[in-house]
Amino acid sequence: EVQLVESGGGLVQPGGSLRLSCAASGFTLSDHYIDWVRQVPGKGLEWVGRSRNRAYSHTTEYDASVKGRFTISRDESENSLYLQMNSLKTEDTAVYYCIRGPRGVSGTDLYFYYMDVWGKGTTVTVSS
Amino acid sequence: DIQMTQSPSAMSASVGDRVTITCRASQGISNYLVWFQQKPGKVPKRLIYAISSLQSGVPSRFSGSGSGTEFTLTISSLQPEDFATYYCLQHSGYPLTFGGGTKVEIK
């Protein structure tokens, strides 16, 4: 079964750090882009950032609200991906989802896998 | 940034109704448009990609259409299990942006 499982959420004080993990099974993580999306309970979805696949050297993109504070990295040997969150703010409080993305930039590789598999999410609470 | 304006933000409908939800992009996004459904307490689920391609396993009463900057999700005959919040997403440019959501409630 294709799935993603997030872990590492919790309660952290403002200014603190947290590292979220995303473990993949049923497919090879390095073949796919992976996105992080967050959702404040009761609110809408917000894209956080992306790690491209091995073919694109695992380059990353971030939303302006987290750029310079959040970093996405991968461990291919573990088929896992990480979201390092530093200098956390109260407005970072949300459920964080890890999501499978495309395998390429055109055709089936782009569209067929675009955010087709979501993890169950992990909750991050930033509060003093 | 590309803004995605989704309307309505909420609506009440009856089982069997035809429901239409619209997303307008602040600039042309080609066919880089995805629709998701989220039920309370659940993870979002992809319904449609590339404007009109139906996700495997999604009932055919769901359809997507549109072009350029205006896109539509249609539920041809609303079923009890369709009461949920629906989101559009553009992936034409960074940052990726979602619409604000449309909550479909029971009338």
Side-chain angles (χ1 to χ4, degrees):
Chain A
E1 182 189 3
V2 172
Q3 63 176 356
L4 293 163
V5 178
E6 305 91 338
S7 60
L11 174 63
V12 61
Q13 292 189 336
S17 297
L18 210 55
R19 189 177 85 153
L20 306 185
S21 299
C22 172
S25 59
F27 72 102
T28 303
L29 199 72
S30 61
D31 288 343
H32 289 264
Y33 292 27
I34 298 292
D35 289 290
W36 287 94
V37 166
R38 65 186 179 184
Q39 185 172 36
V40 175
K43 301 297 184 183
L45 300 168
E46 180 186 23
W47 178 76
V48 172
R50 156 172 289 180
S51 169
R52 294 183 179 85
N53 58 8
R54 185 195 301 165
Y56 290 89
S57 304
H58 296 158
T59 51
T60 53
E61 302 285 346
Y62 300 96
D63 185 76
S65 63
V66 307
K67 196 169 185 178
R69 300 188 298 122
F70 289 12
T71 302
I72 301 172
S73 62
R74 294 185 184 235
D75 182 341
E76 287 194 1
S77 64
E78 296 290 324
N79 211 33
S80 293
L81 177 140
Y82 306 100
L83 178 65
Q84 177 69 42
M85 304 186 296
N86 298 331
S87 303
L88 281 161
K89 305 176 181 180
T90 55
E91 53 263 40
D92 296 319
T93 295
V95 176
Y96 284 73
Y97 296 103
C98 169
I99 308 161
R100 188 170 78 168
R103 294 181 2 154
V105 295
S106 63
T108 300
D109 277 350
L110 171 62
Y111 297 107
F112 188 76
Y113 301 99
Y114 212 99
M115 291 197 183
D116 66 331
V117 177
W118 292 56
K120 293 191 186 312
T122 187
T123 300
V124 172
T125 303
V126 184
S127 175
S128 54
Chain B
D1 297 6
I2 299 173
Q3 309 302 319
M4 300 299 290
T5 302
Q6 199 171 330
S7 60
S9 57
M11 62 181 299
S12 295
S14 300
V15 172
D17 283 353
R18 181 182 183 88
V19 168
T20 300
I21 298 167
T22 298
C23 253
R24 285 191 176 85
S26 58
Q27 63 189 71
I29 59 170
S30 186
N31 60 345
Y32 302 122
L33 193 284
V34 183
W35 289 98
F36 299 93
Q37 175 195 64
Q38 187 178 31
K39 296 181 180 179
K42 300 296 185 182
V43 176
K45 168 187 165 184
R46 190 177 75 168
L47 296 176
I48 286 171
Y49 59 96
I51 299 179
S52 59
S53 295
L54 197 64
Q55 172 71 23
S56 175
V58 172
S60 59
R61 62 181 179 273
F62 290 92
S63 64
S65 63
S67 64
T69 62
E70 187 156 334
F71 305 91
T72 299
L73 173 70
T74 300
I75 310 172
S76 60
S77 177
L78 197 67
Q79 297 302 300
E81 59 268 32
D82 301 337
F83 292 95
T85 300
Y86 295 85
Y87 296 94
C88 61
L89 165 80
Q90 70 78 23
H91 58 99
S92 174
Y94 294 105
L96 308 186
T97 46
F98 290 89
T102 296
K103 186 172 185 179
V104 178
E105 299 177 305
I106 301 172
K107 183 182 282 185

